[in-house]
Amino acid sequence: MGMSTRILCFLVIAGCLPAVITPAHAVPVFARKYGFSCTMCHSSYPRLNDFGQRYRNNGYQLPGREENEQTVLDGPAPFAGRTNFGYNRDRFRNTPKAQNVNELQVGGLDILSAGLVKQNIGYFLVYLPEIRGSRGLAAQSGTLEMANVVFSHVTSLNLNARVGRFEGAWLPFSAKRLLTIAPYEIYDFTGPSGLSLAATQTGVELSGGTRSGLRYGAGWVDGSTTNTSSDAPSDLYLRAVKVFGPGEGQTAGQRLGAVAYFGEARPADALLANERHSLNRWGLDAAVNLREWNFDLQYLRGSDDAALAGRPGNYVFSGGFLQAMYLPSTKWVGVARYDLVNTPDGPGADIKRWTVAGRYYLADNIAWHTEYSRRTVDLFGTSQAKEDFFTTRIDWAF
């Protein structure tokens, strides 16, 4: 499919399909702005509850009170941070380049800023300063992880437009707001194209919804990290979601969704990297809420062109996760998740991860987090690369 044909198909489908956008990070600046508890938007920070989802979908404005909102110049200083301190133990087997960890450690720093510039114009910024690692201090690469502006209630269609760098609607479950240290494996998996769905991207996204619970999103972004700065943005995505019952499918109601992502990337092999080749990702997801229980399900299938993989046929992989959360109160939450990625490198060449975690909230924005995770990667024959990870730490936003 040529680029012009692809964009035409995108514009036609975008006008018909309707998504929900999942945000990233916990931002205490909003609690300070309104004088409310962080639990106004978070049942278990950093995960959003239904009201928090609606607040973000409304461009960081209280629904129905847009005309009375304060801008960043009228309210408290719009800055916040997040870090953690605790004990980490990480053990690897059959993984030569991995280094074991067994220490008390300060784990990175996020600096955030967010708010309204004026009515219906908001922004969100996340900066990770560079930190040189040492014993007791986790290394961190300096990067501007997010920097975007949100235009809300655009035209009579009541659309939102987000421009800049963001985590968009291609992710049904935010990779930045998950309640575990262990990542969603299917989102982190890159394949030969180098495309990680967990990574933020630069581009433009339109989103909206109806009163009947239909949500939609569509975007145009830079795409794979194997592309060069001279390559025109060519990745397009669509997401459609239906919410049943009350809520937004976060802490009440049930949610079903679908996503389609397609774009282009360059082969990693320098000898073959003179042109770009196609890739696509297709996914189905669901969120089910039953009293104190929440169940999240993700299935994703990806295909990279044969030229990207350097093999006779396309590189096709699939996988997903099943996650169960128990939220009896705003004080604590329990999480259990199984992740699986099936790759085409041979019989049983899978990535598997089991994770269990618990968080107890000493305050709205301070959590004691304990987690154990085991990850296995099938190698040639019957051998496996294994990782056993354990942490107990204090995680706080300020």
Side-chain angles (χ1 to χ4, degrees), residues 170 172-173 186-187 197 239 257-260 281-287 296-303 316-323 338 340-342:
W170 63 82
F173 305 97
I186 193 64
Y187 293 165
L197 294 181
R239 177 153 165 75
V259 64
R281 307 286 185 265
W282 303 86
L284 298 173
D285 59 271
D296 295 333
L297 176 66
Q298 172 73 74
Y299 172 77
L300 195 70
R301 181 179 176 86
S303 178
V316 179
F317 66 91
S318 62
F321 56 83
L322 174 62
Q323 178 171 263
Y338 176 66
L340 173 66
V341 181
N342 290 307

PDB file of all heavy atoms in Angstrom, residues 170 172-173 186-187 197 239 257-260 281-287 296-303 316-323 338 340-342:
ATOM      1  N   TRP A 170      -2.907   4.233  20.883  1.00  0.00           N
ATOM      2  CA  TRP A 170      -2.522   2.893  20.446  1.00  0.00           C
ATOM      3  C   TRP A 170      -2.333   1.963  21.635  1.00  0.00           C
ATOM      4  O   TRP A 170      -2.261   0.746  21.471  1.00  0.00           O
ATOM      5  CB  TRP A 170      -1.251   2.938  19.602  1.00  0.00           C
ATOM      6  CG  TRP A 170      -0.023   3.447  20.324  1.00  0.00           C
ATOM      7  CD1 TRP A 170       0.801   2.729  21.139  1.00  0.00           C
ATOM      8  CD2 TRP A 170       0.506   4.766  20.294  1.00  0.00           C
ATOM      9  NE1 TRP A 170       1.808   3.516  21.625  1.00  0.00           N
ATOM     10  CE2 TRP A 170       1.656   4.780  21.114  1.00  0.00           C
ATOM     11  CE3 TRP A 170       0.132   5.948  19.647  1.00  0.00           C
ATOM     12  CZ2 TRP A 170       2.430   5.920  21.319  1.00  0.00           C
ATOM     13  CZ3 TRP A 170       0.903   7.072  19.845  1.00  0.00           C
ATOM     14  CH2 TRP A 170       2.030   7.059  20.673  1.00  0.00           C
ATOM     15  N   PRO A 172      -4.128   0.543  24.853  1.00  0.00           N
ATOM     16  CA  PRO A 172      -5.357   0.450  25.666  1.00  0.00           C
ATOM     17  C   PRO A 172      -5.090   0.599  27.158  1.00  0.00           C
ATOM     18  O   PRO A 172      -5.919   1.123  27.888  1.00  0.00           O
ATOM     19  CB  PRO A 172      -5.881  -0.957  25.346  1.00  0.00           C
ATOM     20  CG  PRO A 172      -5.260  -1.310  24.036  1.00  0.00           C
ATOM     21  CD  PRO A 172      -3.910  -0.656  24.032  1.00  0.00           C
ATOM     22  N   PHE A 173      -3.901   0.136  27.617  1.00  0.00           N
ATOM     23  CA  PHE A 173      -3.512   0.242  29.020  1.00  0.00           C
ATOM     24  C   PHE A 173      -2.175   0.978  29.080  1.00  0.00           C
ATOM     25  O   PHE A 173      -1.202   0.560  28.442  1.00  0.00           O
ATOM     26  CB  PHE A 173      -3.392  -1.148  29.660  1.00  0.00           C
ATOM     27  CG  PHE A 173      -4.638  -1.969  29.522  1.00  0.00           C
ATOM     28  CD1 PHE A 173      -4.757  -2.904  28.516  1.00  0.00           C
ATOM     29  CD2 PHE A 173      -5.704  -1.779  30.397  1.00  0.00           C
ATOM     30  CE1 PHE A 173      -5.917  -3.662  28.376  1.00  0.00           C
ATOM     31  CE2 PHE A 173      -6.862  -2.531  30.257  1.00  0.00           C
ATOM     32  CZ  PHE A 173      -6.971  -3.470  29.247  1.00  0.00           C
ATOM     33  N   ILE A 186       4.298  -7.379  25.940  1.00  0.00           N
ATOM     34  CA  ILE A 186       3.888  -7.228  24.548  1.00  0.00           C
ATOM     35  C   ILE A 186       4.050  -5.786  24.072  1.00  0.00           C
ATOM     36  O   ILE A 186       4.271  -5.535  22.888  1.00  0.00           O
ATOM     37  CB  ILE A 186       2.433  -7.713  24.340  1.00  0.00           C
ATOM     38  CG1 ILE A 186       2.100  -7.856  22.867  1.00  0.00           C
ATOM     39  CG2 ILE A 186       1.441  -6.791  25.044  1.00  0.00           C
ATOM     40  CD1 ILE A 186       2.908  -8.904  22.147  1.00  0.00           C
ATOM     41  N   TYR A 187       3.948  -4.819  24.996  1.00  0.00           N
ATOM     42  CA  TYR A 187       4.158  -3.424  24.619  1.00  0.00           C
ATOM     43  C   TYR A 187       5.640  -3.105  24.467  1.00  0.00           C
ATOM     44  O   TYR A 187       6.029  -2.287  23.628  1.00  0.00           O
ATOM     45  CB  TYR A 187       3.547  -2.483  25.657  1.00  0.00           C
ATOM     46  CG  TYR A 187       2.041  -2.509  25.753  1.00  0.00           C
ATOM     47  CD1 TYR A 187       1.382  -1.947  26.844  1.00  0.00           C
ATOM     48  CD2 TYR A 187       1.262  -3.087  24.755  1.00  0.00           C
ATOM     49  CE1 TYR A 187       0.001  -1.958  26.951  1.00  0.00           C
ATOM     50  CE2 TYR A 187      -0.124  -3.106  24.851  1.00  0.00           C
ATOM     51  CZ  TYR A 187      -0.743  -2.544  25.949  1.00  0.00           C
ATOM     52  OH  TYR A 187      -2.120  -2.555  26.042  1.00  0.00           O
ATOM     53  N   LEU A 197       5.703  -0.286  21.361  1.00  0.00           N
ATOM     54  CA  LEU A 197       4.461   0.447  21.614  1.00  0.00           C
ATOM     55  C   LEU A 197       4.478   1.158  22.955  1.00  0.00           C
ATOM     56  O   LEU A 197       3.703   2.085  23.183  1.00  0.00           O
ATOM     57  CB  LEU A 197       3.269  -0.505  21.532  1.00  0.00           C
ATOM     58  CG  LEU A 197       2.978  -1.104  20.158  1.00  0.00           C
ATOM     59  CD1 LEU A 197       1.750  -2.008  20.225  1.00  0.00           C
ATOM     60  CD2 LEU A 197       2.779  -0.029  19.101  1.00  0.00           C
ATOM     61  N   ARG A 239      -8.224   3.740  17.073  1.00  0.00           N
ATOM     62  CA  ARG A 239      -8.698   2.981  18.220  1.00  0.00           C
ATOM     63  C   ARG A 239     -10.174   3.250  18.430  1.00  0.00           C
ATOM     64  O   ARG A 239     -10.637   4.393  18.318  1.00  0.00           O
ATOM     65  CB  ARG A 239      -7.919   3.349  19.480  1.00  0.00           C
ATOM     66  CG  ARG A 239      -8.447   2.624  20.719  1.00  0.00           C
ATOM     67  CD  ARG A 239      -7.395   2.425  21.774  1.00  0.00           C
ATOM     68  NE  ARG A 239      -7.973   2.059  23.059  1.00  0.00           N
ATOM     69  CZ  ARG A 239      -8.463   0.867  23.363  1.00  0.00           C
ATOM     70  NH1 ARG A 239      -8.460  -0.090  22.448  1.00  0.00           N
ATOM     71  NH2 ARG A 239      -8.950   0.623  24.546  1.00  0.00           N
ATOM     72  N   GLY A 257     -12.427  -2.910  23.445  1.00  0.00           N
ATOM     73  CA  GLY A 257     -11.743  -2.021  22.527  1.00  0.00           C
ATOM     74  C   GLY A 257     -10.980  -2.763  21.444  1.00  0.00           C
ATOM     75  O   GLY A 257     -10.719  -3.965  21.534  1.00  0.00           O
ATOM     76  N   ALA A 258     -10.626  -2.025  20.399  1.00  0.00           N
ATOM     77  CA  ALA A 258      -9.817  -2.556  19.304  1.00  0.00           C
ATOM     78  C   ALA A 258      -8.887  -1.454  18.817  1.00  0.00           C
ATOM     79  O   ALA A 258      -9.224  -0.262  18.864  1.00  0.00           O
ATOM     80  CB  ALA A 258     -10.708  -3.048  18.161  1.00  0.00           C
ATOM     81  N   VAL A 259      -7.708  -1.839  18.351  1.00  0.00           N
ATOM     82  CA  VAL A 259      -6.733  -0.874  17.853  1.00  0.00           C
ATOM     83  C   VAL A 259      -6.071  -1.428  16.603  1.00  0.00           C
ATOM     84  O   VAL A 259      -5.867  -2.641  16.471  1.00  0.00           O
ATOM     85  CB  VAL A 259      -5.665  -0.548  18.931  1.00  0.00           C
ATOM     86  CG1 VAL A 259      -4.849  -1.776  19.283  1.00  0.00           C
ATOM     87  CG2 VAL A 259      -4.779   0.610  18.491  1.00  0.00           C
ATOM     88  N   ALA A 260      -5.771  -0.546  15.669  1.00  0.00           N
ATOM     89  CA  ALA A 260      -5.026  -0.895  14.462  1.00  0.00           C
ATOM     90  C   ALA A 260      -3.921   0.138  14.274  1.00  0.00           C
ATOM     91  O   ALA A 260      -4.179   1.343  14.332  1.00  0.00           O
ATOM     92  CB  ALA A 260      -5.946  -0.910  13.245  1.00  0.00           C
ATOM     93  N   ARG A 281       0.272  -3.557  13.497  1.00  0.00           N
ATOM     94  CA  ARG A 281      -0.083  -4.107  14.795  1.00  0.00           C
ATOM     95  C   ARG A 281      -1.611  -4.057  14.913  1.00  0.00           C
ATOM     96  O   ARG A 281      -2.230  -3.035  14.623  1.00  0.00           O
ATOM     97  CB  ARG A 281       0.531  -3.302  15.953  1.00  0.00           C
ATOM     98  CG  ARG A 281       2.045  -3.093  15.844  1.00  0.00           C
ATOM     99  CD  ARG A 281       2.814  -4.349  16.164  1.00  0.00           C
ATOM    100  NE  ARG A 281       4.247  -4.117  16.175  1.00  0.00           N
ATOM    101  CZ  ARG A 281       5.056  -4.334  15.134  1.00  0.00           C
ATOM    102  NH1 ARG A 281       4.554  -4.778  13.972  1.00  0.00           N
ATOM    103  NH2 ARG A 281       6.348  -4.124  15.251  1.00  0.00           N
ATOM    104  N   TRP A 282      -2.200  -5.176  15.348  1.00  0.00           N
ATOM    105  CA  TRP A 282      -3.646  -5.247  15.530  1.00  0.00           C
ATOM    106  C   TRP A 282      -3.927  -5.784  16.922  1.00  0.00           C
ATOM    107  O   TRP A 282      -3.288  -6.736  17.359  1.00  0.00           O
ATOM    108  CB  TRP A 282      -4.284  -6.180  14.488  1.00  0.00           C
ATOM    109  CG  TRP A 282      -3.993  -5.781  13.069  1.00  0.00           C
ATOM    110  CD1 TRP A 282      -2.900  -6.135  12.324  1.00  0.00           C
ATOM    111  CD2 TRP A 282      -4.776  -4.929  12.247  1.00  0.00           C
ATOM    112  NE1 TRP A 282      -2.967  -5.564  11.077  1.00  0.00           N
ATOM    113  CE2 TRP A 282      -4.107  -4.820  10.990  1.00  0.00           C
ATOM    114  CE3 TRP A 282      -5.982  -4.250  12.429  1.00  0.00           C
ATOM    115  CZ2 TRP A 282      -4.610  -4.064   9.955  1.00  0.00           C
ATOM    116  CZ3 TRP A 282      -6.480  -3.492  11.380  1.00  0.00           C
ATOM    117  CH2 TRP A 282      -5.808  -3.408  10.171  1.00  0.00           C
ATOM    118  N   GLY A 283      -4.894  -5.200  17.630  1.00  0.00           N
ATOM    119  CA  GLY A 283      -5.135  -5.647  18.986  1.00  0.00           C
ATOM    120  C   GLY A 283      -6.586  -5.573  19.421  1.00  0.00           C
ATOM    121  O   GLY A 283      -7.364  -4.765  18.904  1.00  0.00           O
ATOM    122  N   LEU A 284      -6.946  -6.451  20.361  1.00  0.00           N
ATOM    123  CA  LEU A 284      -8.238  -6.443  21.035  1.00  0.00           C
ATOM    124  C   LEU A 284      -7.992  -6.381  22.538  1.00  0.00           C
ATOM    125  O   LEU A 284      -7.009  -6.961  23.027  1.00  0.00           O
ATOM    126  CB  LEU A 284      -9.041  -7.702  20.696  1.00  0.00           C
ATOM    127  CG  LEU A 284      -9.421  -7.917  19.226  1.00  0.00           C
ATOM    128  CD1 LEU A 284     -10.050  -9.295  19.042  1.00  0.00           C
ATOM    129  CD2 LEU A 284     -10.368  -6.829  18.749  1.00  0.00           C
ATOM    130  N   ASP A 285      -8.860  -5.703  23.257  1.00  0.00           N
ATOM    131  CA  ASP A 285      -8.660  -5.561  24.698  1.00  0.00           C
ATOM    132  C   ASP A 285      -9.998  -5.466  25.405  1.00  0.00           C
ATOM    133  O   ASP A 285     -11.027  -5.160  24.797  1.00  0.00           O
ATOM    134  CB  ASP A 285      -7.823  -4.319  25.004  1.00  0.00           C
ATOM    135  CG  ASP A 285      -8.471  -3.048  24.480  1.00  0.00           C
ATOM    136  OD1 ASP A 285      -8.216  -2.688  23.312  1.00  0.00           O
ATOM    137  OD2 ASP A 285      -9.227  -2.403  25.234  1.00  0.00           O
ATOM    138  N   ALA A 286      -9.956  -5.744  26.704  1.00  0.00           N
ATOM    139  CA  ALA A 286     -11.170  -5.675  27.518  1.00  0.00           C
ATOM    140  C   ALA A 286     -10.798  -5.334  28.952  1.00  0.00           C
ATOM    141  O   ALA A 286      -9.723  -5.706  29.433  1.00  0.00           O
ATOM    142  CB  ALA A 286     -11.934  -6.996  27.470  1.00  0.00           C
ATOM    143  N   ALA A 287     -11.684  -4.631  29.636  1.00  0.00           N
ATOM    144  CA  ALA A 287     -11.557  -4.346  31.066  1.00  0.00           C
ATOM    145  C   ALA A 287     -12.896  -4.669  31.709  1.00  0.00           C
ATOM    146  O   ALA A 287     -13.939  -4.180  31.266  1.00  0.00           O
ATOM    147  CB  ALA A 287     -11.181  -2.890  31.308  1.00  0.00           C
ATOM    148  N   ASP A 296      -8.058  -7.030  33.404  1.00  0.00           N
ATOM    149  CA  ASP A 296      -7.635  -6.424  32.145  1.00  0.00           C
ATOM    150  C   ASP A 296      -7.091  -7.511  31.229  1.00  0.00           C
ATOM    151  O   ASP A 296      -6.297  -8.362  31.650  1.00  0.00           O
ATOM    152  CB  ASP A 296      -6.535  -5.384  32.383  1.00  0.00           C
ATOM    153  CG  ASP A 296      -7.032  -4.196  33.189  1.00  0.00           C
ATOM    154  OD1 ASP A 296      -8.249  -3.909  33.132  1.00  0.00           O
ATOM    155  OD2 ASP A 296      -6.213  -3.558  33.873  1.00  0.00           O
ATOM    156  N   LEU A 297      -7.515  -7.470  29.982  1.00  0.00           N
ATOM    157  CA  LEU A 297      -7.087  -8.461  28.996  1.00  0.00           C
ATOM    158  C   LEU A 297      -6.627  -7.756  27.736  1.00  0.00           C
ATOM    159  O   LEU A 297      -7.325  -6.875  27.216  1.00  0.00           O
ATOM    160  CB  LEU A 297      -8.245  -9.410  28.670  1.00  0.00           C
ATOM    161  CG  LEU A 297      -7.989 -10.448  27.568  1.00  0.00           C
ATOM    162  CD1 LEU A 297      -6.917 -11.437  28.016  1.00  0.00           C
ATOM    163  CD2 LEU A 297      -9.284 -11.190  27.226  1.00  0.00           C
ATOM    164  N   GLN A 298      -5.451  -8.138  27.237  1.00  0.00           N
ATOM    165  CA  GLN A 298      -4.902  -7.566  26.005  1.00  0.00           C
ATOM    166  C   GLN A 298      -4.414  -8.687  25.097  1.00  0.00           C
ATOM    167  O   GLN A 298      -3.677  -9.575  25.533  1.00  0.00           O
ATOM    168  CB  GLN A 298      -3.740  -6.634  26.313  1.00  0.00           C
ATOM    169  CG  GLN A 298      -2.976  -6.125  25.094  1.00  0.00           C
ATOM    170  CD  GLN A 298      -3.755  -5.106  24.305  1.00  0.00           C
ATOM    171  OE1 GLN A 298      -3.894  -3.968  24.735  1.00  0.00           O
ATOM    172  NE2 GLN A 298      -4.280  -5.493  23.143  1.00  0.00           N
ATOM    173  N   TYR A 299      -4.828  -8.646  23.834  1.00  0.00           N
ATOM    174  CA  TYR A 299      -4.262  -9.518  22.802  1.00  0.00           C
ATOM    175  C   TYR A 299      -3.742  -8.629  21.679  1.00  0.00           C
ATOM    176  O   TYR A 299      -4.436  -7.701  21.245  1.00  0.00           O
ATOM    177  CB  TYR A 299      -5.294 -10.491  22.238  1.00  0.00           C
ATOM    178  CG  TYR A 299      -4.765 -11.261  21.041  1.00  0.00           C
ATOM    179  CD1 TYR A 299      -3.889 -12.325  21.215  1.00  0.00           C
ATOM    180  CD2 TYR A 299      -5.108 -10.879  19.743  1.00  0.00           C
ATOM    181  CE1 TYR A 299      -3.376 -13.013  20.120  1.00  0.00           C
ATOM    182  CE2 TYR A 299      -4.602 -11.561  18.647  1.00  0.00           C
ATOM    183  CZ  TYR A 299      -3.739 -12.633  18.840  1.00  0.00           C
ATOM    184  OH  TYR A 299      -3.226 -13.300  17.757  1.00  0.00           O
ATOM    185  N   LEU A 300      -2.529  -8.916  21.207  1.00  0.00           N
ATOM    186  CA  LEU A 300      -1.919  -8.093  20.167  1.00  0.00           C
ATOM    187  C   LEU A 300      -1.190  -8.993  19.171  1.00  0.00           C
ATOM    188  O   LEU A 300      -0.509  -9.957  19.571  1.00  0.00           O
ATOM    189  CB  LEU A 300      -0.937  -7.100  20.779  1.00  0.00           C
ATOM    190  CG  LEU A 300      -0.467  -5.946  19.903  1.00  0.00           C
ATOM    191  CD1 LEU A 300      -1.616  -4.958  19.675  1.00  0.00           C
ATOM    192  CD2 LEU A 300       0.699  -5.217  20.561  1.00  0.00           C
ATOM    193  N   ARG A 301      -1.317  -8.687  17.904  1.00  0.00           N
ATOM    194  CA  ARG A 301      -0.629  -9.416  16.835  1.00  0.00           C
ATOM    195  C   ARG A 301       0.120  -8.412  15.976  1.00  0.00           C
ATOM    196  O   ARG A 301      -0.432  -7.361  15.616  1.00  0.00           O
ATOM    197  CB  ARG A 301      -1.628 -10.195  15.988  1.00  0.00           C
ATOM    198  CG  ARG A 301      -0.995 -11.019  14.846  1.00  0.00           C
ATOM    199  CD  ARG A 301      -2.079 -11.763  14.084  1.00  0.00           C
ATOM    200  NE  ARG A 301      -1.546 -12.487  12.942  1.00  0.00           N
ATOM    201  CZ  ARG A 301      -1.048 -13.713  12.994  1.00  0.00           C
ATOM    202  NH1 ARG A 301      -1.019 -14.353  14.163  1.00  0.00           N
ATOM    203  NH2 ARG A 301      -0.605 -14.309  11.906  1.00  0.00           N
ATOM    204  N   GLY A 302       1.371  -8.721  15.665  1.00  0.00           N
ATOM    205  CA  GLY A 302       2.187  -7.819  14.869  1.00  0.00           C
ATOM    206  C   GLY A 302       2.808  -8.528  13.691  1.00  0.00           C
ATOM    207  O   GLY A 302       3.051  -9.742  13.725  1.00  0.00           O
ATOM    208  N   SER A 303       3.070  -7.770  12.623  1.00  0.00           N
ATOM    209  CA  SER A 303       3.708  -8.316  11.432  1.00  0.00           C
ATOM    210  C   SER A 303       4.669  -7.284  10.865  1.00  0.00           C
ATOM    211  O   SER A 303       4.279  -6.141  10.614  1.00  0.00           O
ATOM    212  CB  SER A 303       2.656  -8.698  10.381  1.00  0.00           C
ATOM    213  OG  SER A 303       3.276  -9.183   9.202  1.00  0.00           O
ATOM    214  N   VAL A 316       6.068 -12.503  12.031  1.00  0.00           N
ATOM    215  CA  VAL A 316       4.756 -12.401  12.664  1.00  0.00           C
ATOM    216  C   VAL A 316       4.864 -12.864  14.114  1.00  0.00           C
ATOM    217  O   VAL A 316       5.370 -13.956  14.387  1.00  0.00           O
ATOM    218  CB  VAL A 316       3.704 -13.243  11.921  1.00  0.00           C
ATOM    219  CG1 VAL A 316       2.344 -13.126  12.616  1.00  0.00           C
ATOM    220  CG2 VAL A 316       3.599 -12.803  10.468  1.00  0.00           C
ATOM    221  N   PHE A 317       4.412 -12.039  15.038  1.00  0.00           N
ATOM    222  CA  PHE A 317       4.427 -12.403  16.458  1.00  0.00           C
ATOM    223  C   PHE A 317       3.071 -12.069  17.070  1.00  0.00           C
ATOM    224  O   PHE A 317       2.258 -11.334  16.493  1.00  0.00           O
ATOM    225  CB  PHE A 317       5.547 -11.667  17.206  1.00  0.00           C
ATOM    226  CG  PHE A 317       5.361 -10.183  17.274  1.00  0.00           C
ATOM    227  CD1 PHE A 317       4.697  -9.585  18.339  1.00  0.00           C
ATOM    228  CD2 PHE A 317       5.857  -9.353  16.271  1.00  0.00           C
ATOM    229  CE1 PHE A 317       4.517  -8.218  18.403  1.00  0.00           C
ATOM    230  CE2 PHE A 317       5.692  -7.974  16.335  1.00  0.00           C
ATOM    231  CZ  PHE A 317       5.021  -7.408  17.397  1.00  0.00           C
ATOM    232  N   SER A 318       2.818 -12.609  18.240  1.00  0.00           N
ATOM    233  CA  SER A 318       1.555 -12.339  18.930  1.00  0.00           C
ATOM    234  C   SER A 318       1.777 -12.475  20.431  1.00  0.00           C
ATOM    235  O   SER A 318       2.800 -12.997  20.877  1.00  0.00           O
ATOM    236  CB  SER A 318       0.458 -13.305  18.470  1.00  0.00           C
ATOM    237  OG  SER A 318       0.808 -14.647  18.792  1.00  0.00           O
ATOM    238  N   GLY A 319       0.799 -12.029  21.190  1.00  0.00           N
ATOM    239  CA  GLY A 319       0.914 -12.138  22.635  1.00  0.00           C
ATOM    240  C   GLY A 319      -0.047 -11.216  23.340  1.00  0.00           C
ATOM    241  O   GLY A 319      -0.953 -10.646  22.733  1.00  0.00           O
ATOM    242  N   GLY A 320       0.173 -11.064  24.626  1.00  0.00           N
ATOM    243  CA  GLY A 320      -0.688 -10.202  25.410  1.00  0.00           C
ATOM    244  C   GLY A 320      -0.511 -10.453  26.891  1.00  0.00           C
ATOM    245  O   GLY A 320       0.509 -10.988  27.330  1.00  0.00           O
ATOM    246  N   PHE A 321      -1.520 -10.088  27.664  1.00  0.00           N
ATOM    247  CA  PHE A 321      -1.457 -10.299  29.106  1.00  0.00           C
ATOM    248  C   PHE A 321      -2.864 -10.393  29.678  1.00  0.00           C
ATOM    249  O   PHE A 321      -3.845  -9.900  29.103  1.00  0.00           O
ATOM    250  CB  PHE A 321      -0.664  -9.202  29.810  1.00  0.00           C
ATOM    251  CG  PHE A 321      -1.169  -7.804  29.560  1.00  0.00           C
ATOM    252  CD1 PHE A 321      -2.222  -7.278  30.300  1.00  0.00           C
ATOM    253  CD2 PHE A 321      -0.582  -7.010  28.588  1.00  0.00           C
ATOM    254  CE1 PHE A 321      -2.685  -5.992  30.071  1.00  0.00           C
ATOM    255  CE2 PHE A 321      -1.036  -5.711  28.357  1.00  0.00           C
ATOM    256  CZ  PHE A 321      -2.084  -5.201  29.095  1.00  0.00           C
ATOM    257  N   LEU A 322      -2.932 -11.041  30.828  1.00  0.00           N
ATOM    258  CA  LEU A 322      -4.139 -11.082  31.642  1.00  0.00           C
ATOM    259  C   LEU A 322      -3.768 -10.581  33.022  1.00  0.00           C
ATOM    260  O   LEU A 322      -2.850 -11.104  33.650  1.00  0.00           O
ATOM    261  CB  LEU A 322      -4.697 -12.505  31.730  1.00  0.00           C
ATOM    262  CG  LEU A 322      -5.892 -12.696  32.670  1.00  0.00           C
ATOM    263  CD1 LEU A 322      -7.083 -11.861  32.219  1.00  0.00           C
ATOM    264  CD2 LEU A 322      -6.273 -14.167  32.755  1.00  0.00           C
ATOM    265  N   GLN A 323      -4.460  -9.557  33.479  1.00  0.00           N
ATOM    266  CA  GLN A 323      -4.122  -8.917  34.746  1.00  0.00           C
ATOM    267  C   GLN A 323      -5.353  -8.852  35.642  1.00  0.00           C
ATOM    268  O   GLN A 323      -6.439  -8.479  35.196  1.00  0.00           O
ATOM    269  CB  GLN A 323      -3.600  -7.507  34.487  1.00  0.00           C
ATOM    270  CG  GLN A 323      -3.259  -6.724  35.744  1.00  0.00           C
ATOM    271  CD  GLN A 323      -2.550  -5.422  35.421  1.00  0.00           C
ATOM    272  OE1 GLN A 323      -1.334  -5.328  35.470  1.00  0.00           O
ATOM    273  NE2 GLN A 323      -3.308  -4.405  35.072  1.00  0.00           N
ATOM    274  N   TYR A 338      -0.077 -12.226  34.104  1.00  0.00           N
ATOM    275  CA  TYR A 338       0.675 -13.164  33.272  1.00  0.00           C
ATOM    276  C   TYR A 338       0.872 -12.532  31.909  1.00  0.00           C
ATOM    277  O   TYR A 338      -0.091 -12.127  31.248  1.00  0.00           O
ATOM    278  CB  TYR A 338      -0.062 -14.489  33.135  1.00  0.00           C
ATOM    279  CG  TYR A 338       0.628 -15.466  32.212  1.00  0.00           C
ATOM    280  CD1 TYR A 338       1.868 -16.009  32.536  1.00  0.00           C
ATOM    281  CD2 TYR A 338       0.043 -15.840  31.003  1.00  0.00           C
ATOM    282  CE1 TYR A 338       2.507 -16.899  31.690  1.00  0.00           C
ATOM    283  CE2 TYR A 338       0.670 -16.731  30.153  1.00  0.00           C
ATOM    284  CZ  TYR A 338       1.897 -17.260  30.505  1.00  0.00           C
ATOM    285  OH  TYR A 338       2.542 -18.134  29.659  1.00  0.00           O
ATOM    286  N   LEU A 340       2.712 -12.923  27.970  1.00  0.00           N
ATOM    287  CA  LEU A 340       3.209 -13.902  27.006  1.00  0.00           C
ATOM    288  C   LEU A 340       3.453 -13.232  25.667  1.00  0.00           C
ATOM    289  O   LEU A 340       2.625 -12.445  25.192  1.00  0.00           O
ATOM    290  CB  LEU A 340       2.197 -15.037  26.831  1.00  0.00           C
ATOM    291  CG  LEU A 340       2.487 -16.068  25.730  1.00  0.00           C
ATOM    292  CD1 LEU A 340       3.749 -16.861  26.063  1.00  0.00           C
ATOM    293  CD2 LEU A 340       1.299 -17.002  25.525  1.00  0.00           C
ATOM    294  N   VAL A 341       4.612 -13.535  25.060  1.00  0.00           N
ATOM    295  CA  VAL A 341       4.917 -13.107  23.691  1.00  0.00           C
ATOM    296  C   VAL A 341       5.381 -14.329  22.917  1.00  0.00           C
ATOM    297  O   VAL A 341       6.348 -14.993  23.309  1.00  0.00           O
ATOM    298  CB  VAL A 341       6.004 -12.019  23.645  1.00  0.00           C
ATOM    299  CG1 VAL A 341       6.268 -11.602  22.195  1.00  0.00           C
ATOM    300  CG2 VAL A 341       5.603 -10.810  24.480  1.00  0.00           C
ATOM    301  N   ASN A 342       4.688 -14.647  21.826  1.00  0.00           N
ATOM    302  CA  ASN A 342       5.087 -15.741  20.936  1.00  0.00           C
ATOM    303  C   ASN A 342       5.850 -15.164  19.752  1.00  0.00           C
ATOM    304  O   ASN A 342       5.335 -14.298  19.043  1.00  0.00           O
ATOM    305  CB  ASN A 342       3.857 -16.490  20.414  1.00  0.00           C
ATOM    306  CG  ASN A 342       3.165 -17.285  21.490  1.00  0.00           C
ATOM    307  OD1 ASN A 342       3.790 -18.076  22.179  1.00  0.00           O
ATOM    308  ND2 ASN A 342       1.856 -17.072  21.640  1.00  0.00           N
TER     309      ASN A 342
END
